Amino acid sequence: MLLDTASLYFRAYFGVPDSVRAPDGTPVNAVRGLLDFIARLVQDHHPDDLVACMDADWRPQWRVDLIPTYKAHRVAAETAEGLPDEEEVPDTLSPQVPVIEAVLDALGIARVGVAPYEADDVIGTLTGRSTGPVDIVTGDRDLYQLVDDARGVRVLYPLKGVGTLQVTDEEWLRGKYGVDGAGYVDLALLRGDPSDGLPGVPGIGEKTAAKLLDAFGDLAGIMAAVDDPAARLTPSQRRRLDEARDYVAVAPKVVRVADDVPLPGFDPALPREPRDPAALEALAARWGLGSSLQRLLLTLQT
């Protein structure tokens, strides 16, 4: 089981009241919410391995170089001194992230992030290397591209907390989008995604993109059709696709998750006992993790 950790703690932050606080009054709703999420996921799905995948670089420069608008709207500030961009994060969430990392480490839950890559890239690399089934837990549709029934790779998409999950397999993808996992990258880049700053091809929405992929197979087939006068494209489709050649040439590298991240060594096995009980006890007392941590510990032991 691979966790898109930031996606989950964002959901926890907005789903758990900020009245959930440490003894000193600091909000810990994201911390406790994430611990509750992990406990429920382990209880319901019994993974052998569990990896919390992290955003070591949430907006990699190599993606921005290809498409400058990539996640540009999420940038809160960029100083004149050229300091790194900062993601727009609620100010009571940012201080909770180091606590989350420390608790995961003390528990012994593998936590993997590699610069200059996003958590999606870590997930893509681990999925590609897996020799068994993989459940990817994320609220990010971009990872639908990894769904592969033959390899047992599916996405568990939270609908309400993590108790209600949309199990995304190829049948669901074909019913919803008309493509399988491999075709989702082409659909996404043609359609565009405002949440990621991907412009898409103007005038090519989701339904049109799906029809074009059904007719011509993949992005390469669609672009070959642009150059074929006999191909059944409307004049406006042909013109819009032709005008978007520069975008279409670079977008696949931006949209497709990396599968070659140089991962560090780590133990993905689900821990039965905490790696550092003393550190965990201190964190529990300092941040008032209470029943959330106890539930997770009991779940890991069963």
Side-chain angles (χ1 to χ4, degrees):
M1 177 172 282
L2 304 176
L3 307 182
D4 182 1
T5 312
S7 171
L8 294 178
Y9 66 59
F10 263 95
R11 283 173 177 262
Y13 176 81
F14 288 106
V16 178
D18 68 1
S19 57
V20 176
R21 297 182 175 240
D24 68 356
T26 304
V28 289
N29 50 333
V31 183
R32 293 193 59 161
L34 180 64
L35 294 176
D36 287 337
F37 282 176
I38 295 174
R40 183 65 185 267
L41 289 165
V42 171
Q43 175 185 304
D44 290 354
H45 300 279
H46 308 288
D48 298 308
D49 298 328
L50 180 73
V51 183
C53 302
M54 313 296 291
D55 282 321
D57 190 338
W58 69 274
R59 188 176 182 241
Q61 188 61 44
W62 57 272
R63 282 193 164 106
V64 176
D65 289 343
L66 293 169
I67 297 181
T69 57
Y70 182 67
K71 294 186 177 179
H73 65 294
R74 301 190 197 181
V75 177
E78 191 170 348
T79 67
E81 290 80 10
L83 295 178
D85 297 344
E86 295 179 4
E87 189 170 9
E88 195 169 335
V89 178
D91 61 2
T92 58
L93 173 57
S94 298
Q96 297 187 58
V97 176
V99 181
I100 288 169
E101 294 174 344
V103 172
L104 292 175
D105 291 349
L107 282 164
I109 292 175
R111 183 171 62 84
V112 181
V114 180
Y117 296 98
E118 301 176 58
D120 289 9
D121 302 311
V122 174
I123 290 170
T125 300
L126 287 169
T127 299
R129 294 182 183 181
S130 176
T131 57
V134 178
D135 280 345
I136 299 164
V137 188
T138 181
D140 185 351
R141 294 185 301 170
D142 290 345
L143 289 168
Y144 287 171
Q145 63 184 272
L146 297 175
V147 169
D148 185 340
D149 286 0
R151 298 188 61 238
V153 179
R154 59 186 188 169
V155 168
L156 306 182
Y157 186 97
L159 297 175
K160 186 177 181 181
V162 292
T164 305
L165 296 167
Q166 170 192 289
V167 178
T168 306
D169 56 13
E170 289 187 348
E171 180 182 3
W172 188 91
L173 281 177
R174 284 190 290 267
K176 177 70 173 178
Y177 299 108
V179 297
D180 58 13
Y184 190 81
V185 169
D186 292 346
L187 178 86
L189 71 87
L190 287 167
R191 173 197 64 201
D193 187 347
S195 68
D196 279 342
L198 294 173
V201 177
I204 305 293
E206 191 167 274
K207 291 182 179 179
T208 301
K211 289 178 181 177
L212 290 173
L213 288 167
D214 183 57
F216 301 108
D218 57 17
L219 184 64
I222 292 171
M223 298 312 292
V226 174
D227 297 322
D228 179 3
R232 299 187 65 179
L233 290 169
T234 68
S236 65
Q237 288 171 352
R238 192 181 301 274
R239 175 176 55 81
R240 290 179 184 278
L241 287 162
D242 184 55
E243 291 173 349
R245 284 183 190 273
D246 288 348
Y247 165 75
V248 169
V250 299
K253 186 173 181 181
V254 174
V255 177
R256 187 172 290 116
V257 300
D259 60 5
D260 58 352
V261 175
L263 301 175
F266 65 95
D267 181 2
L270 191 69
R272 296 303 173 189
E273 299 291 340
R275 175 184 296 152
D276 191 337
L280 191 61
E281 184 177 351
L283 287 164
R286 167 70 178 85
W287 299 107
L289 302 182
S291 59
S292 296
L293 180 58
Q294 289 307 310
R295 274 193 296 270
L296 178 53
L297 287 170
L298 286 172
T299 302
L300 291 173
Q301 290 166 3
T302 58

